[in-house]
Amino acid sequence: MSTLHILIITVMTRSLSDHDPLEDQANMSNVNIELKIISVSDSDPSKETEPDLQPRAGGGLRGSTASTPKKTHRRLNLSGATDLGDSDEFDMKEELTESELPFAKFTSAAQQLQVRPTCSNPHFANKAFRKKMSNPFEKVPKRNKSFPSLNMADAENHFCSKLYHTKRRVLSLKDYHDEARAMRDIGKFLAQPIVLFKVHHTLWEDIVEEMIVRLSKEKPELNLAIKEAMNSVISKDADFVIPECIQGITETAHGPITEQSFIVVIGNTNAVTENQVIMCLLDHPFNFGIGAEEIRFICVILCPTKNKHTKSGIQVARTYATLLSDDRLRHNLLNTRCPDEFAHEFELECTRIHKEHEKREREANMSMRSRQVKPPKRRKWLPGLDMWCDVKRRAKHYFSDFSEDIRDCTSIQKIISTTFFLFFSLLLPAIAFGVLAGTFTDGKIDAKTTIVSQALAGLLWGFFSGQHLVVIRTTIPVVIYTRILYTISLNWGEDGSFFFTFYAMAGLTNGFFLVMYGIAGVSKVMVYCSRSTKEIVDLFVSIAFIVDSVRYVSNEFSIFYCFRPYSTNDTLNTVSLLTGESAGNACFPTKPLLDLLLLLTTVYVGVVIFNFKYSPYLNADKRVMVADYALVVATTVGAVMGSYFFRRIDLGKFSVDEGRPVFGVVSFVTPSICALFVAIGLGFVMSLLFFMTVNISASVINNPSNKLQKGPAYHYDMVLIGIINSVLSLLGLPFVHGSLPHSPLHVRALADIEEHVENGTLSEKIVYVRESRITTIISHCMIGVSILMVPYPLNLIPIPVLYGLFVFLALTSLKDLQLWERLVLIFTEQSLYPPFHYVRKVPQKIIHFFTLLQILQLIGLCIITFGSSVYLKMLFPLFIIFLMPIREKILPTLISERHLQSLDGDH
């Protein structure tokens, strides 16, 4: 059996910071030493031996013990260090003799003897000790020890300070209709509400103390013992531990996480005879620790230690936790301005929840009775019936779309910031797409016509659409298809005179089929459009942005950089250097390098400002506001660099046909039969593209996680988008359709968002969205006015900056793509995988296999779209349609349905 002796020496003497060893030896007789030896044995840890030690006249020790423990050769280290940090160590046996103790070197009023492992060579130990005693002030070289010094301070560093016991269980939400006690508890609280409003404290003890003191003041008849009440909600052993509390759990894309915005604390105490409730709204989020890092609402329940089950602390806490788990109530409470409004919102929420429970019970009873009588009749299909249901659903909310969300300052600020966000995020890409379309159509469609198209279509959509939060605009697939139409039209007119006739015929056919899709209710097939299909299309759009930007830079280098070997025919003159124009075979390497510099600068500035919302600076609202103007700031920086600092170099500016009227109907040329059928075929294929993009954008907007209240309008919106594109075709303007990522960004700009951090992952939750038409209408009015700024001053924006916007839009749209997340996981160390829900539920090889299948589909879409064959490019909308049967019929044969649901389900 091994025994551990811990010796604690307490020395009471004067300060020895500036001491003399000889003087210390002379004065040791005046030193009072208390020595306590604790013997801890493996066989009987309770035994202790305490010798009675008294100082001798000669400075030694004398003492006696009741029993003498078994002697061992365990070595002890009596160490001391001066105030300069040097140390002097010597080894000594456990028995301290009268002649040995005076040579101990002390540096403070208290020293500890440290236990060291036993030396395996006692002879060496005795020899070292005798050598040290012969000259106590000479340092002995330290022996090589296999174990470090073990003292009490070091030992404590290897252990936790305390243990924390956690016991969790899941509780169901309170049913206010079935459990009558819940409404009575809330009614009792509302009769005399105790609410602390906008509390600024940053310590849990101060918050609790203020809440208990307020309760004592509001209800003096309780004769509340404040200290005892505080101890019931503050752990006696650790202030950072809350003895008992209830929080909410929310299902997110990363799995269940704790709702960190509220906490209900339960305190069982004899200080009260009946349940007492105190509410507190903090001015800023409060960090309670892991799982409760952003608390804004605190509810303290004080309950008697002995109470019936229905009145117990857990049951009362369930009542208030159910209320606070409603994000609509929390949103309304945060916007209150005084405790009375706070209590009033509580009362309204209770009434609303009670009515919802009653309505749900009535509907359940009616459905049960109807099933008992006879099965419901299946509704007959009628053309336009689904569209008519959309109209009825949205018509009752039409006027509230203008007036409902402009009543408070926060909503007005959101609407203003969102309006400017839409204006800049639609105007600048419209110019960029116009420039790109102009290069493909020899200026037939340019930046001016694109701006006119965006303004006209946006105003029609803002006033008459069903789901007005969807953003419509000209996109890169439209530009690609416009290029196809122009290339094919050259077969009937090499000078491009037949283009607008061919363009209008294809556009009218496209509009006709879109109207038919809406009337027939074809949008119902979108239930087979899974998340993977949407993400393949989104990533394809991002790749198309980058491909066009790379093509532009590559073309600039091929023209001006002169990769061919230098010959005497090449000239490098000052005129070409300053103007940027190629004079014969002149090389001008400065221009492509500056083009690349401006493009990368625009991308870098935009991405940095866009990511500012994820930084710790300012508060959440201000960070989001700064990030909303990333595109504007990036364009401004690029324009200033290109138009001012490099103004002597012609970097290229977009041009428009100023002689063309803003609105002008297309002059039709009599087409041939062949051209007519080709236009109809192209219009049909293009309608499939528009059908997919409009429905995908609408489905993303109407996702339940966005908390929209007024319902969708898929079929009606399809009819409207067909009418709008028919009008644009007759005017010779670019087509428009639903846009990603602008549509979800529009929703987020109008939303109140809660952010939570759990397990190192940031999750965001939309609480409320302002479904206002004002942002769409005003922003497109501003875009219409900006036509007056074409060409000047908008043509001050260099063309490389516009292509930089393409890359910026491509990169920023990757953030919310699960496909991109899983693609990154392929190159990520497995131990560093984020805690995504599919990582926990699906084996790693199946995750990568599913990702590679999506990549193969994406590669096929890119080959068709970016290939050299014009006729092959016509089929890329059909390939997008075929992505749905691939997902529904082929993938289930390769991957189990359970794993597909985790990887491709809506979370």
Side-chain angles (χ1 to χ4, degrees):
M1 300 296 177
S2 62
T3 304
L4 174 64
H5 298 274
I6 303 177
L7 288 79
I8 305 176
I9 300 179
T10 305
V11 183
M12 304 297 297
T13 182
R14 63 182 178 83
S15 173
L16 301 177
S17 58
D18 299 323
H19 63 279
D20 185 359
L22 297 177
E23 184 180 355
D24 290 344
Q25 179 179 357
N27 293 331
M28 282 301 295
S29 61
N30 298 325
V31 177
N32 296 322
I33 301 179
E34 178 185 354
L35 178 63
K36 181 177 180 181
I37 302 178
I38 303 175
S39 177
V40 184
S41 176
D42 293 343
S43 59
D44 187 2
S46 62
K47 292 183 179 181
E48 295 184 0
T49 303
E50 298 184 12
D52 181 16
L53 299 176
Q54 301 293 336
R56 287 184 177 180
L61 296 174
R62 72 170 183 269
S64 63
T65 60
S67 61
T68 305
K70 181 179 179 180
K71 292 184 179 181
T72 64
H73 289 283
R74 182 173 292 102
R75 295 194 170 277
L76 304 176
N77 173 38
L78 183 62
S79 62
T82 64
D83 54 354
L84 296 177
D86 60 321
S87 63
D88 190 9
E89 298 184 5
F90 62 91
D91 295 325
M92 55 184 296
K93 283 190 176 181
E94 188 170 350
E95 297 84 13
L96 299 178
T97 64
E98 172 179 344
S99 60
E100 296 165 356
L101 185 61
F103 295 98
K105 184 176 181 181
F106 296 90
T107 61
S108 62
Q111 290 289 334
Q112 291 184 351
L113 286 174
Q114 300 177 347
V115 181
R116 291 217 171 177
T118 305
C119 180
S120 59
N121 190 346
H123 175 73
F124 173 81
N126 294 335
K127 182 177 180 181
F129 176 76
R130 287 192 299 269
K131 183 178 181 180
K132 184 67 181 177
M133 291 299 98
S134 63
N135 188 356
F137 307 110
E138 179 182 356
K139 292 186 178 180
V140 177
K142 298 181 182 179
R143 57 186 173 88
N144 184 18
K145 305 177 181 64
S146 60
F147 293 91
S149 174
L150 177 64
N151 56 35
M152 293 304 298
D154 292 338
E156 291 179 356
N157 292 335
H158 293 281
F159 294 90
C160 299
S161 59
K162 294 179 182 178
L163 300 180
Y164 180 25
H165 173 225
T166 302
K167 182 180 179 180
R168 296 186 178 183
R169 63 189 176 115
V170 178
L171 302 175
S172 59
L173 295 177
K174 201 80 166 183
D175 190 336
Y176 292 91
H177 183 73
D178 294 338
E179 303 182 50
R181 185 73 202 179
M183 296 302 297
R184 289 198 297 181
D185 289 338
I186 296 175
K188 185 177 179 180
F189 167 74
L190 294 176
Q192 189 178 357
I194 302 176
V195 179
L196 277 70
F197 195 74
K198 301 291 185 180
V199 175
H200 298 277
H201 291 305
T202 57
L203 294 178
W204 170 236
E205 298 86 348
D206 296 340
I207 296 173
V208 171
E209 183 178 3
E210 185 172 349
M211 296 175 73
I212 301 298
V213 170
R214 175 67 65 86
L215 174 63
S216 178
K217 290 181 179 180
E218 295 288 339
K219 297 183 178 181
E221 66 275 6
L222 296 177
N223 295 322
L224 188 64
I226 297 178
K227 189 66 176 177
E228 183 178 353
M230 288 183 60
N231 290 336
S232 66
V233 293
I234 299 178
S235 175
K236 300 177 183 179
D237 300 322
D239 294 339
F240 55 84
V241 178
I242 300 174
E244 191 174 6
C245 66
I246 295 180
Q247 290 181 266
I249 297 176
T250 304
E251 289 289 340
T252 67
H254 306 301
I257 65 171
T258 303
E259 185 63 58
Q260 302 190 45
S261 59
F262 74 92
I263 186 170
V264 180
V265 183
I266 305 170
N268 296 301
T269 176
N270 293 322
V272 296
T273 57
E274 60 180 4
N275 297 332
Q276 303 295 331
V277 180
I278 314 124
M279 299 292 299
C280 177
L281 172 61
L282 300 177
D283 191 36
H284 297 288
F286 182 84
N287 189 351
F288 280 83
I290 299 175
E293 301 174 359
E294 298 174 346
I295 298 296
R296 292 296 302 271
F297 299 94
I298 302 175
C299 178
V300 173
I301 313 289
L302 296 181
C303 302
T305 53
K306 295 182 179 181
N307 213 342
K308 60 186 297 187
H309 174 71
T310 57
K311 295 182 180 180
S312 64
I314 291 181
Q315 296 302 320
V316 178
R318 274 182 62 210
T319 300
Y320 289 92
T322 302
L323 282 174
L324 290 174
S325 65
D326 188 351
D327 50 18
R328 293 170 298 181
L329 173 63
R330 297 199 304 270
H331 172 264
N332 294 334
L333 292 177
L334 288 174
N335 291 329
T336 56
R337 292 170 290 183
C338 63
D340 292 337
E341 286 189 15
F342 190 96
H344 181 63
E345 285 293 340
F346 243 91
E347 185 175 4
L348 293 178
E349 179 71 9
C350 295
T351 305
R352 186 188 62 79
I353 291 179
H354 188 64
K355 289 181 178 179
E356 285 185 356
H357 279 280
E358 289 182 345
K359 181 181 179 182
R360 188 159 51 247
E361 185 176 3
R362 282 197 308 269
E363 292 176 351
N365 293 335
M366 292 177 61
S367 62
M368 185 177 299
R369 287 196 299 269
S370 63
R371 285 196 301 268
Q372 293 174 354
V373 177
K374 57 181 179 179
K377 293 183 179 180
R378 187 176 181 180
R379 192 180 67 175
K380 294 182 179 180
W381 178 84
L382 293 174
L385 182 59
D386 295 313
M387 183 188 68
W388 177 245
C389 292
D390 290 343
V391 173
K392 288 196 302 182
R393 185 188 305 115
R394 297 293 308 194
K396 58 184 178 182
H397 300 295
Y398 185 78
F399 293 104
S400 64
D401 291 340
F402 292 93
S403 60
E404 187 176 49
D405 294 310
I406 55 174
R407 299 174 182 175
D408 57 275
C409 296
T410 304
S411 297
I412 294 175
Q413 178 185 351
K414 280 279 186 181
I415 289 175
I416 293 175
S417 62
T418 305
T419 300
F420 280 99
F421 163 72
L422 281 181
F423 170 68
F424 289 110
S425 63
L426 292 177
L427 175 64
L428 297 176
I431 298 174
F433 288 130
V435 172
L436 184 61
T439 60
F440 293 155
T441 62
D442 292 334
K444 302 293 183 181
I445 293 179
D446 54 19
K448 183 177 181 180
T449 57
T450 308
I451 295 175
V452 173
S453 172
Q454 183 65 55
L456 178 60
L459 287 174
L460 293 175
W461 183 261
F463 279 109
F464 303 111
S465 64
Q467 184 50 273
H468 52 273
L469 295 178
V470 174
V471 177
I472 61 172
R473 67 186 182 101
T474 301
T475 62
I476 195 68
V478 171
V479 176
I480 293 173
Y481 224 80
T482 302
R483 180 183 185 181
I484 295 172
L485 292 175
Y486 180 77
T487 303
I488 295 177
S489 69
L490 296 179
N491 294 324
W492 294 279
E494 295 183 358
D495 58 350
S497 58
F498 189 69
F499 168 68
F500 282 114
T501 301
F502 191 73
Y503 183 84
M505 290 191 300
L508 290 173
T509 305
N510 172 40
F512 170 78
F513 280 109
L514 291 176
V515 171
M516 291 298 103
Y517 297 154
I519 294 176
V522 182
S523 295
K524 293 179 180 178
V525 302
M526 291 302 294
V527 297
Y528 300 106
C529 183
S530 64
R531 178 172 184 162
S532 63
T533 304
K534 301 173 186 177
E535 293 187 338
I536 291 173
V537 175
D538 292 345
L539 192 53
F540 163 73
V541 173
S542 299
I543 292 175
F545 281 137
I546 297 176
V547 167
D548 283 319
S549 300
V550 172
R551 282 178 176 174
Y552 167 76
V553 176
S554 176
N555 185 54
E556 291 293 296
F557 271 91
S558 64
I559 294 175
F560 295 101
Y561 201 80
C562 296
F563 289 100
R564 64 185 185 278
Y566 183 79
S567 64
T568 56
N569 295 328
D570 294 331
T571 59
L572 190 64
N573 53 52
T574 307
V575 176
S576 63
L577 282 174
L578 295 181
T579 62
E581 298 178 355
S582 179
N585 294 326
C587 294
F588 182 42
T590 306
K591 185 181 186 304
L593 291 176
L594 286 179
D595 288 341
L596 181 61
L597 174 64
L598 287 178
L599 188 147
L600 296 178
T601 301
T602 304
V603 174
Y604 176 77
V605 173
V607 171
V608 168
I609 298 177
F610 180 82
N611 290 331
F612 182 77
K613 59 184 175 183
Y614 305 114
S615 69
Y617 307 110
L618 305 179
N619 56 37
D621 294 336
K622 291 183 175 61
R623 291 197 298 268
V624 172
M625 184 182 300
V626 172
D628 287 343
Y629 294 98
L631 189 143
V632 181
V633 176
T635 306
T636 303
V637 171
V640 170
M641 288 181 61
S643 299
Y644 180 75
F645 293 104
F646 304 119
R647 58 184 178 273
R648 299 186 64 185
I649 299 176
D650 184 9
L651 296 174
K653 299 178 180 178
F654 69 87
S655 58
V656 297
D657 184 5
E658 299 185 23
R660 179 179 175 178
V662 176
F663 298 103
V665 179
V666 172
S667 299
F668 281 88
V669 178
T670 304
S672 63
I673 300 298
C674 180
L676 180 61
F677 278 102
V678 171
I680 292 175
L682 290 174
F684 169 72
V685 175
M686 187 164 51
S687 69
L688 297 178
L689 171 66
F690 282 35
F691 173 81
M692 289 292 294
T693 55
V694 171
N695 278 307
I696 288 175
S697 300
S699 63
V700 172
I701 292 297
N702 294 309
N703 191 293
S705 62
N706 289 333
K707 308 290 178 62
L708 301 183
Q709 304 295 323
K710 300 178 181 180
Y714 291 100
H715 312 286
Y716 169 73
D717 285 343
M718 189 61 61
V719 173
L720 181 62
I721 202 72
I723 296 174
I724 291 175
N725 279 287
S726 298
V727 174
L728 297 178
S729 301
L730 294 174
L731 298 177
L733 300 176
F735 306 127
V736 295
H737 60 81
S739 170
L740 291 171
H742 285 72
S743 297
L745 289 177
H746 185 201
V747 173
R748 292 177 63 86
L750 289 171
D752 292 325
I753 299 175
E754 289 182 353
E755 293 183 352
H756 303 293
V757 178
E758 188 159 331
N759 297 327
T761 302
L762 175 66
S763 61
E764 298 177 340
K765 179 182 178 182
I766 292 179
V767 178
Y768 176 74
V769 177
R770 296 160 182 85
E771 300 180 52
S772 175
R773 296 179 183 268
I774 297 177
T775 56
T776 303
I777 294 174
I778 296 180
S779 61
H780 284 88
C781 287
M782 297 169 62
I783 292 175
V785 174
S786 65
I787 298 174
L788 302 176
M789 295 187 291
V790 175
Y792 185 84
L794 290 179
N795 65 350
L796 293 178
I797 303 175
I799 292 180
V801 175
L802 298 178
Y803 281 97
L805 295 182
F806 286 163
V807 181
F808 167 76
L809 294 174
L811 296 180
T812 54
S813 63
L814 297 177
K815 176 186 177 297
D816 297 324
L817 290 182
Q818 188 188 105
L819 172 57
W820 178 256
E821 293 175 351
R822 287 187 274 105
L823 186 61
V824 173
L825 291 183
I826 297 178
F827 309 98
T828 304
E829 183 181 348
Q830 187 174 359
S831 60
L832 301 178
Y833 280 11
F836 297 140
H837 65 283
Y838 53 83
V839 172
R840 298 195 301 267
K841 298 179 181 179
V842 183
Q844 179 185 2
K845 62 180 182 180
I846 296 181
I847 294 176
H848 297 334
F849 179 61
F850 180 73
T851 304
L852 292 177
L853 290 177
Q854 286 185 284
I855 295 300
L856 290 177
Q857 299 174 66
L858 179 63
I859 291 174
L861 183 58
C862 292
I863 291 175
I864 293 175
T865 305
F866 304 124
S868 58
S869 175
V870 176
Y871 298 98
L872 189 62
K873 293 180 180 179
M874 295 165 46
L875 303 178
F876 85 90
L878 290 175
F879 191 88
I880 294 176
I881 295 292
F882 288 149
L883 293 178
M884 292 194 292
I886 290 174
R887 167 60 182 86
E888 294 297 323
K889 299 299 181 181
I890 299 179
L891 291 187
T893 63
L894 303 175
I895 302 175
S896 66
E897 189 63 34
R898 178 170 60 91
H899 291 155
L900 280 177
Q901 182 61 30
S902 299
L903 289 168
D904 199 24
D906 291 328
H907 298 279

